[in-house]
Structures are given as structure tokens and as C-alpha cells.
Amino acid sequence: MQLTGRQYIGKRSSNEGVDLFTAYNPMTGEALECHYGEATAQEIDAAVVLAETAFVKYREINNESRAVFIECIADEIMALGELLIKRAMDETALPQARLEGERGRTVGQLRLFAKVVREGSWVDARIDPAMPDRKPLPRSDIRQMLRPMGPVAVFGASNFPLAFSVAGGDTASAFAAGCTVVIKGHPAHPGTSELVFRAMLNAVEKCAMPDGVVSLVHGVGHQPGMQLVQHPLIQAVGFTGSFRGGNALFDLANARQVPIPVFAEMGSTNPVFILPGALKDRGEKIAEGLAASVTLGVGQFCTNPGLVLVEANAATAFKSVLANEINANAGGTMLTAGIRNAYSGSLDRISKTKDVSVLSEGQPAKSSAGVSAKIFTTSVKALIEYPELAEEVFGPSSIVVEASAKEELIEAARVLEGHLTATIHGTAEDLQDYQELIGILERKVGRIVINGFPTGVEVCHAMVHGGPYPATTNSQSTSVGTNAMKRFARPVCYQDFPDTLLPAALKQNNPLSIWRLVDGEMMR
Ligand code: NAP
């Protein structure tokens, strides 16, 4: 399959833009095959208008057909075979096994959403039957369910070229909710984006879905993404990336004449608390696990553990093993030269902060965007005085923050801002002794891990991949797991509707056989 370098307005490809860009191989720094145009204002408008036309039809498509469409996308992605993996390796420097695993995650995620759509109960149907004889006033028949919002803008993420990109979690959850999607591909992997998009087009064709259910636009400047978010027909935004990018889009969406929700998953430092009993019993083992977690995928995960909080008097052996592990690390190649530069800049910033010292540094990878791992140490006092130490460093780095005693460790937890995760390593006694910590962390993060590591986010029904600002722009949602589809739906109430006009999920005889809350009781 030849790459075209074009925008896709539904099924129609277009090439009005003149600002050409190309992807670079982060291993060699060489430009890759195929130039991409930057989407013009007309192309973006055409894609959104078509998405609105398609939405009117797609929202009415029954659960079974929608589920088959989502499953068909998964099949078509698999059918791309080695071509997809090879292009993604060239564009991202991620190893084959990681990309094959990520492809598995992507298609598994699509199939899981399809299953939820087919079952149907996710719409949270609620029925309060009429009470005509109620005194002093009768009650109307009141029914509620979640309905799709409309066209959604999705921004592909650099660090998950498959699972959080063109057919990733945001797109899958929008389709599952009944929304159409206009995707802004990430400029670091335009070829991967195009291949996945064309697989989706095959599914659109095979399943006879409305043209415009999905479109793909490209760009290296901010303009296409900004225009997409400002377009009056776009109803919600899904984003994974930098704090600066997510925040800019959030502000833009709020400044619209009609503001819309932006579900931006941004930076997180994922604090790891290692309590004294655990440090004493298995500090060395925890240090090995932590080094593996910090350097996994060259640290390019939003769940990378960037802050480690310990009580200093119990941490000597732990620090020594951590230093050795990092020292032996061979380094790796980052996704882009820009991300490598941002990583170097962050390390410089931390090195220059007062009361911070280097614990250990790994070997540098010998490639164009190669870096080495680095661990710093500092005190809780410094963390409180220089809160920017808790900002995300995107790469294989972490800061060990030492507390003089339990009270200081708790104080460090209190000053944290919002993060995606927090982790506690502790013995049964530690956990009893530090119960207060869990209460504090519940208000700071979306997921709390006990005696594990934050990297590795399971796609399942109970997952929360979210958290309070600045980790995300919406603390009530998750971008991973089946609850992610609720981001793109909103509750609509139907009062005194005749049965024939009600959506199937709310009809009297429950034709979909879904779980519903009827007069306060769950039933099928
Ligand atoms: P990014 O700069 O936030 O870009 C993500 C997407 O948003 C791109 O499509 C980008 O397109 C667009 N964008 C960014 N700022 C925008 C703005 N002001 N207006 C409109 N569109 C905008 O993220 P990145 O390129 O993936 O990586 C850069 C840095 O982000 C990394 O060094 C890292 O610090 C952070 N990052 C964090 C995570 C995480 O999971 N926490 C993941 C990836 C990256 P254009 O570039 O074409 O404008």
C-alpha cells in the first residue's frame, strides 16, 4: 500500500495545503518516505461539516451494527500486518515487540468497546413511571439515558502511535458512544496514522457506515488543531499530550461562544511512597522494580514514576541498588528530536535547582534521539520550596525525595497537585500506620496502586486513567477503560413521551433486554 500524504475528508482524499512536512526516523535522523500537507481551513471545515451530516445517521444505527463496525476496524488493523509495524518502528523508534503489543491493546480495546455497545446497558437507562394518583400532585412519566453528543475532535498522541492515536481509546470510545470523529494526526507519525485511517475506511465501506463517520487531518503547526477545537459543530475533544498543549486547547474550548468539554490527559509525575517497613524488608527488590518502571519505553509513559518519597533513615540500601540499576541502563531513543530536547531541558532545570543532587546516571544511547536515564535526590523541604520539581519530566528520570520523619512524608503528600496515579509500598503494619496517606491521595489522583508500579494501564471496566487538574482537564472522567465512552455522551430526559417515540433503551417492554433503574430498582 502506497502512502498518499493527503488529508481524508471522510472517504475523499484532499491535498489543498502547501506547508509540507515529513516524519523523521529518530534512530538515524533521516527523513522518511512521503510528504504530508498541512490541512487548510477549508479542509477542516469540510471534515467537520461531513462529520455532522454523518452523525445524524450514525447516532441512529442500532447497537449490533455499531458493534460490528468497531470489531471490523480491529480486523482491518490486523490485516495491515507487518506494513503497519514497520512504518511505526521507523517513525517512533519503538521496538517491534512493543508495537505488536500496542497493536494487540488497540484491537483488544476496540473489541471490548464493541462488547459493551452490543450489551447496551452502558446508557444508564432510568425510568420513573408516572404516578397519576399521587397527592398532592401527580408525577409525570420520567425517563433518562445517555445520548451521543455529536462530532468529536481527537488528537493523536506521540507516545502511543496506535493505542492513543487514530484508532485509539478516544476514537474507539467516541464511536462506541455513537459519535463521529475528526482526527488530528500526530505530526511525528503521519504514515502510521494514514495506514490505520485507511484500515478504518475499509471498515466504513464494508459495514456501510455513513461517509464522514471519521476523517483525518494533518499538520505540524497548531493552526489545524486550534481550528478544529473552535469549530462550532465540534461537541467535545479528546487529547493526550503535554500540559501546555492540553491546557491551550482547554482554554480555547472555554473561550468559544458555546464552550465544549475537553478531555485532556496531560502531565503526571505519579508519586511513589515507599514506607519504612517495606524499605527495610525489601528495599533492594523495590529499587529494581522501580528502575525498570522508570526506564520502561524510555520513560515515555504518562504513568512514569517521577517522584519517589521515602524516609531518609531507612533508604540507604534502596538508594544504592537504584543507583546501580540506573547506572547499568543502556539508555534509549526517544520518539522525536523535539521530545529528546524537552527531556534534556527538564534535566537541566532540575540539576540547577537548589538542594538537588544527582544520584545516578545511565549510559547514553548512540542514536539520533538517544538519551540516558537519570535519578536525582532532594528533600521534602526543597520539594515544598520548589514545587516545579513535581512537574512531569517526560523521559527515563525520577527524583527521590527524602523525608526526615513520617510527618514530613505526609506533608509531602498534602502539597502534591493532581496526578494520574499514586503508589504506596508498605508492609501490613506500614499500611495500618499510614492510613491517613490513602485519604490524602484519594483527593489527588485517579488510581492508587499498592505494592506495585504505576506503568501498565489495564484496559478494563474498572480502570480510571484520569485525575484532578493539572493531570487532566476533567477529573470526573477516565481516558482508558469502558467508562471512557461516557465522556462523549450526556444524559437526556424524556418526560411523558409516548412509547413509540422513545429510544429503544427506554421503551416500556425493554426490547434491548438491558439493565435499567426502574423506580429505583435495577432490573432487566
Ligand atoms: P503536544 O506538544 O502536546 O502535542 C500533541 C498534539 O496536540 C499534537 O497534535 C499537536 O499538534 C497538538 N497541539 C499541541 N499544542 C497545541 C496548541 N497550543 N494548539 C493546538 N494544537 C496543539 O505533545 P507531543 O508532541 O506528543 O510531545 C511534546 C511533549 O508533551 C513531550 O516532551 C512531553 O513532555 C509531553 N507529553 C506528555 C504525554 C503524557 O502522556 N503525559 C504524552 C505525550 C507527550 P502540533 O504540534 O501540530 O501543533
Side-chain angles (χ1 to χ4, degrees):
M1 191 194 291
Q2 280 288 325
L3 294 173
T4 66
R6 297 167 75 91
Q7 324 296 323
Y8 282 87
I9 319 299
K11 294 176 190 170
R12 177 174 69 85
S13 75
S14 169
N15 203 11
E16 291 173 6
V18 285
D19 289 333
L20 296 180
F21 72 97
T22 184
Y24 290 88
N25 184 325
M27 287 284 189
T28 61
E30 286 165 5
L32 292 168
E33 176 218 341
C34 195
H35 284 73
Y36 284 80
E38 180 143 302
T40 62
Q42 290 79 0
E43 285 171 327
I44 287 171
D45 181 61
V48 179
V49 169
L50 192 63
E52 170 65 22
T53 309
F55 174 69
V56 175
K57 297 177 193 152
Y58 184 66
R59 73 196 287 264
E60 297 306 336
I61 285 171
N62 65 48
N63 290 348
E64 178 58 25
S65 303
R66 202 186 291 167
V68 168
F69 168 53
I70 295 168
E71 285 164 343
C72 187
I73 294 171
D75 295 343
E76 292 295 325
I77 290 173
M78 289 309 295
L80 289 168
E82 284 313 297
L83 179 69
L84 177 64
I85 300 297
K86 170 83 180 58
R87 178 74 192 194
M89 283 170 74
D90 287 349
E91 288 185 329
T92 64
L94 294 172
Q96 181 172 349
R98 150 76 199 269
L99 286 165
E100 285 172 353
E102 193 180 321
R103 179 179 58 186
R105 179 191 178 97
T106 308
V107 300
Q109 182 165 260
L110 285 158
R111 290 182 178 131
L112 182 65
F113 277 115
K115 212 167 154 185
V116 173
V117 170
R118 187 172 275 121
E119 195 282 328
S121 303
W122 76 275
V123 296
D124 192 17
R126 289 155 182 256
I127 298 175
D128 292 316
M131 293 173 149
D133 302 327
R134 191 180 69 171
K135 297 283 183 265
L137 288 172
R139 180 172 83 181
S140 290
D141 180 282
I142 299 176
R143 295 170 190 235
Q144 184 207 110
M145 69 177 286
L146 294 171
R147 297 295 276 156
M149 293 176 65
V152 174
V154 167
F155 286 75
S158 59
N159 58 338
F160 280 93
L162 303 174
F164 277 95
S165 204
V166 169
D170 287 342
T171 301
S173 48
F175 281 163
C179 293
T180 55
V181 177
V182 180
I183 300 156
K184 155 75 170 64
H186 195 283
H189 56 255
T192 305
S193 298
E194 184 186 335
L195 289 172
V196 172
F197 180 80
R198 284 164 63 186
M200 288 167 92
L201 274 192
N202 288 344
V204 170
E205 199 69 49
K206 283 186 180 167
C207 300
M209 287 292 137
D211 186 17
V213 70
V214 62
S215 291
L216 172 67
V217 295
H218 296 284
V220 268
H222 294 341
Q223 197 50 39
M226 289 171 68
Q227 195 196 333
L228 203 49
V229 171
Q230 286 173 310
H231 198 293
L233 293 174
I234 289 290
Q235 298 300 308
V237 179
F239 171 95
T240 298
S242 65
F243 173 74
R244 196 192 294 182
N247 214 44
L249 297 175
F250 180 60
D251 286 347
L252 212 57
N254 283 313
R256 287 168 42 129
Q257 195 172 3
V258 180
I260 53 169
V262 173
F263 300 97
E265 191 258 271
M266 309 181 291
S268 176
T269 318
N270 307 297
V272 176
F273 291 81
I274 312 175
L275 304 181
L279 272 178
K280 190 163 154 272
D281 282 7
R282 49 191 170 86
E284 289 92 338
K285 200 107 205 97
I286 297 171
E288 286 168 13
L290 185 72
S293 183
V294 168
T295 55
L296 186 72
V298 203
Q300 299 169 115
F301 291 117
C302 40
T303 48
N304 192 45
L307 274 186
V308 182
L309 297 110
V310 294
E311 285 178 35
N313 58 11
T316 312
F318 161 79
K319 283 197 315 187
S320 155
V321 174
L322 180 61
N324 290 340
E325 289 288 320
I326 292 297
N327 201 246
N329 183 269
T333 304
M334 298 202 83
L335 293 156
T336 66
I339 289 178
R340 186 242 358 247
N341 295 344
Y343 175 62
S344 305
S346 299
L347 296 185
D348 271 1
R349 168 177 61 79
I350 293 171
S351 305
K352 286 179 187 146
T353 309
K354 219 169 140 237
D355 298 331
V356 173
S357 43
V358 176
L359 176 70
S360 163
E361 183 161 7
Q363 311 307 309
K366 291 185 180 52
S367 59
S368 178
V371 295
S372 55
K374 201 162 184 172
I375 304 286
F376 299 92
T377 54
T378 193
S379 62
V380 170
K381 280 193 182 69
L383 179 71
I384 293 171
E385 195 168 345
Y386 310 109
E388 61 275 15
L389 287 173
E391 283 173 17
E392 181 183 66
V393 173
F394 195 66
S397 175
S398 194
I399 308 179
V400 177
V401 182
E402 297 185 85
S404 57
K406 177 182 170 187
E407 293 67 36
E408 225 184 42
L409 202 72
I410 298 283
E411 185 55 20
R414 280 194 211 287
V415 300
L416 290 172
E417 292 191 298
H419 292 271
L420 296 171
T421 74
T423 298
I424 305 175
H425 281 271
T427 59
E429 249 175 40
D430 283 333
L431 296 174
Q432 193 65 34
D433 202 18
Y434 283 75
Q435 264 183 27
E436 186 184 358
L437 189 55
I438 295 179
I440 296 169
L441 295 177
E442 272 178 354
R443 300 181 63 187
K444 306 274 182 178
V445 307
R447 177 166 61 107
I448 305 175
V449 180
I450 298 281
N451 291 330
F453 294 97
T455 39
V457 184
E458 185 72 29
V459 181
C460 58
H461 303 291
M463 178 50 66
V464 175
H465 189 60
Y469 187 89
T472 77
T473 50
N474 184 306
S475 67
Q476 292 170 299
S477 66
T478 175
S479 63
V480 177
T482 51
N483 254 351
M485 57 201 285
K486 293 189 180 159
R487 295 174 300 166
F488 304 123
R490 64 178 186 82
V492 177
C493 182
Y494 302 82
Q495 189 163 329
D496 288 333
F497 262 50
D499 205 56
T500 47
L501 287 186
L502 281 168
L506 295 178
K507 283 189 191 297
Q508 192 58 26
N509 64 354
N510 195 8
L512 303 179
S513 293
I514 59 173
W515 287 99
R516 313 193 291 185
L517 188 71
V518 181
D519 224 0
E521 268 183 55
M522 284 306 284
M523 58 180 69
R524 208 164 198 155

